Amino acid sequence: MSQLWSPTSGLPRPKTPPTASAGLELPLSPGGTTRVRWPGRRFAQIVKLKPEFIDKYKEVHAAVWPEVLKQIKDCNIQDYSIFHDPGTGILFANFKYVGYDFDGDMEKMRDNPKVREWWRMTDGFQESLVPGATSSETGEPSWWKPVEEVFYQP
């Protein structure tokens, strides 16, 4: 769960959702009584897991710190998962951002001391695939490598 949220992470920015502050009307629900939530944007990233840390990585992710989980939710991240390919050591992370202020939410994520502590721990289990990356906390270049979505079937 390393560098996923930094505004300087190299991830493509989500398409701007409609906002009332931008002078746009938010769509109404079919009954016309409530605003419809922006469906969000999906992100995907990869990093390499060091083979000697496979068991430890799985162990810490089986019990993610409550402060980290709360911050993820509070920053409008949903449907977050990480997959591991034991053949290549690649970790594949994907999540959906459903908020209205991506940069602001990512700053909130970065400002949380427990999240930064989590990143320092999990970075030690990983090798970045991004040339020049040094850690999740440094931001640029990003620790996790963004990957392009080429197909989606909702």
Side-chain angles (χ1 to χ4, degrees), residues 3-154:
Q3 179 68 4
L4 294 178
W5 306 286
S6 169
T8 60
S9 70
L11 289 173
R13 284 188 165 193
K15 294 176 185 170
T16 305
T19 63
S21 63
L24 300 172
E25 284 295 315
L26 297 175
L28 293 176
S29 65
T33 57
T34 59
R35 301 287 181 201
V36 175
R37 185 171 179 91
W38 182 56
R41 175 152 187 253
R42 293 174 311 281
F43 289 87
Q45 303 168 301
I46 57 174
V47 74
K48 188 167 185 177
L49 182 60
K50 296 175 183 175
E52 65 270 26
F53 291 110
I54 293 170
D55 291 338
K56 184 66 176 172
Y57 192 83
K58 289 178 181 181
E59 176 187 322
V60 300
H61 281 84
V64 176
W65 302 340
E67 301 91 342
V68 172
L69 294 174
K70 182 178 183 320
Q71 191 66 61
I72 291 169
K73 183 177 181 179
D74 290 350
C75 289
N76 297 297
I77 302 292
Q78 294 182 354
D79 298 328
Y80 178 55
S81 60
I82 300 173
F83 296 85
H84 177 241
D85 175 15
T88 64
I90 297 295
L91 293 171
F92 170 82
N94 69 327
F95 63 92
K96 184 167 38 170
Y97 176 73
V98 296
Y100 295 94
D101 179 10
F102 184 76
D103 290 343
D105 283 336
M106 300 313 102
E107 283 302 319
K108 287 182 209 170
M109 184 74 68
R110 181 180 226 71
D111 288 344
N112 184 312
K114 284 304 262 189
V115 169
R116 289 193 317 272
E117 182 181 348
W118 178 268
W119 287 345
R120 284 189 298 272
M121 175 183 62
T122 58
D123 281 3
F125 305 152
Q126 304 163 347
E127 290 177 42
S128 179
L129 299 171
V130 178
T134 57
S135 75
S136 292
E137 288 188 89
T138 58
E140 279 299 320
S142 67
W143 186 251
W144 283 71
K145 181 179 181 179
V147 292
E148 178 186 6
E149 180 178 78
V150 296
F151 176 78
Y152 174 66
Q153 172 61 46

